[in-house]
Amino acid sequence: MYHPQQLSYVIKQGDNLYQLAKHYHTTVPMILSQNPNIDPYNLQVGASIVITPGENFAAQPDYNMPVCPDFYKHIDLTNSMREVWMQHVYWTRMLLISIAEKLKDQNDVTNRLLQNPYDIAKIYANYYTSDAAKKIAQLLTEHLQIGAALITALRDKKSAEADNLNRQWYINADKMADAFSSINPYYKHEDLRKMLYNHLQLTTQEVAMRLAGNFKADIQAFNKVEDEAISMADYFSSGIMKQFPNKFLS
């Protein structure tokens, strides 16, 4: 049997009773009956009201977030973040092929790839300090530069150099986990660390298969890299939307 439990909700900019009722699986009359002193046409931002969720409401840790988000603002950030992270793995792949095959476009591809950290940092600059955005660009640039040197060392069968670069790659991943988790409470350090390590492992598999000439396995590995890049992008977007909910209101 369902046992309703009241919760206290703090009114946010953009909230309205219809959306609140819809979100909490209740009705506007029910909310009004529990809060007789509120004006439904002039909700006061910062005021607390009582809500008894309906039976189908699944309580979440962030239940007190605004419930009237702007769908298009969410989609815009999601798409922008996905675009830069997909470019990250696409241009990394193009550089991998250039290095592996010793193509003449390596310098041009490298230059285009190294633009990517600044494209990612540009998104973060909309929400964080310029120093935070610069740190993100710096660490991502280092990540790409180490990766390029590692691919080259593996191609040339310089095992000791490759091992050293691989260690540097993971140290850089730890630094990125530190940096991202320091600016956003919804970026959990251990989650970030696992996610970034997985990114390195999948990329390493892709590199190994390409250098071995196993192109079918190489493509299969890159398919996993693509999927993981989208998951990473969505994780980063979600954290921003949770930390700055008022920037995504209607």
Side-chain angles (χ1 to χ4, degrees):
M1 179 179 293
Y2 174 62
H3 298 284
Q5 293 185 335
Q6 291 184 347
L7 57 83
S8 177
Y9 181 83
V10 178
I11 299 295
K12 305 292 192 301
Q13 184 68 41
D15 283 347
N16 61 69
L17 292 188
Y18 171 77
Q19 290 284 2
L20 286 168
K22 182 178 178 182
H23 180 75
Y24 289 106
H25 294 270
T26 184
T27 64
V28 171
M30 177 62 73
I31 294 176
L32 288 172
S33 71
Q34 294 179 293
N35 303 274
N37 296 322
I38 66 170
D39 180 350
Y41 303 105
N42 186 27
L43 296 179
Q44 298 301 303
V45 174
S48 294
I49 63 173
V50 172
I51 299 178
T52 301
E55 184 172 358
N56 295 322
F57 174 72
Q60 301 292 330
D62 301 311
Y63 72 83
N64 206 31
M65 290 178 63
V67 296
C68 305
D70 187 315
F71 173 78
Y72 296 102
K73 290 180 181 178
H74 277 227
I75 291 298
D76 183 58
L77 175 59
T78 299
N79 287 344
S80 295
M81 191 70 80
R82 284 187 175 189
E83 180 181 6
V84 292
W85 278 101
M86 293 307 291
Q87 289 176 348
H88 180 89
V89 297
Y90 287 150
W91 284 103
T92 296
R93 177 163 178 77
M94 284 186 244
L95 182 59
L96 162 59
I97 294 171
S98 292
I99 293 173
E101 307 302 329
K102 298 183 178 180
L103 301 180
K104 295 180 180 179
D105 66 352
Q106 184 175 330
N107 287 338
D108 291 327
V109 172
T110 298
N111 290 336
R112 175 57 183 87
L113 175 59
L114 291 179
Q115 177 185 321
N116 179 256
Y118 299 94
D119 293 336
I120 293 174
K122 189 181 298 184
I123 294 176
Y124 279 88
N126 293 321
Y127 307 95
Y128 302 96
T129 65
S130 59
D131 285 344
K134 287 178 183 177
K135 185 66 174 178
I136 289 171
Q138 173 193 336
L139 290 170
L140 283 169
T141 299
E142 183 180 284
H143 159 75
L144 294 173
Q145 290 172 332
I146 295 171
L150 176 58
I151 296 168
T152 303
L154 290 169
R155 181 199 66 189
D156 296 340
K157 303 187 186 305
K158 296 180 179 179
S159 300
E161 183 179 343
D163 289 343
N164 181 53
L165 288 165
N166 194 58
R167 284 192 293 272
Q168 291 181 38
W169 221 16
Y170 280 86
I171 291 171
N172 169 265
D174 288 337
K175 290 179 181 178
M176 280 199 279
D178 291 341
F180 279 111
S181 62
S182 71
I183 63 173
N184 188 317
Y186 297 98
Y187 290 162
K188 304 304 180 183
H189 187 275
E190 190 56 28
D191 291 344
L192 285 163
R193 188 168 177 269
K194 289 179 180 178
M195 185 170 63
L196 292 167
Y197 275 29
N198 188 47
H199 177 64
L200 298 186
Q201 290 161 5
L202 291 174
T203 303
T204 298
Q205 292 172 14
E206 179 191 356
V207 171
M209 293 301 99
R210 166 59 59 166
L211 293 176
N214 188 342
F215 303 124
K216 182 176 181 180
D218 166 38
I219 291 169
Q220 290 173 343
F222 181 66
N223 287 339
K224 294 179 182 179
V225 171
E226 282 185 300
D227 291 340
E228 199 253 356
I230 292 175
S231 295
M232 288 175 62
D234 289 349
Y235 180 90
F236 287 129
S237 296
S238 176
I240 291 174
M241 288 186 278
K242 287 178 180 178
Q243 187 178 15
F244 303 103
N246 289 338
K247 290 183 178 290
F248 297 91
L249 294 173
S250 301

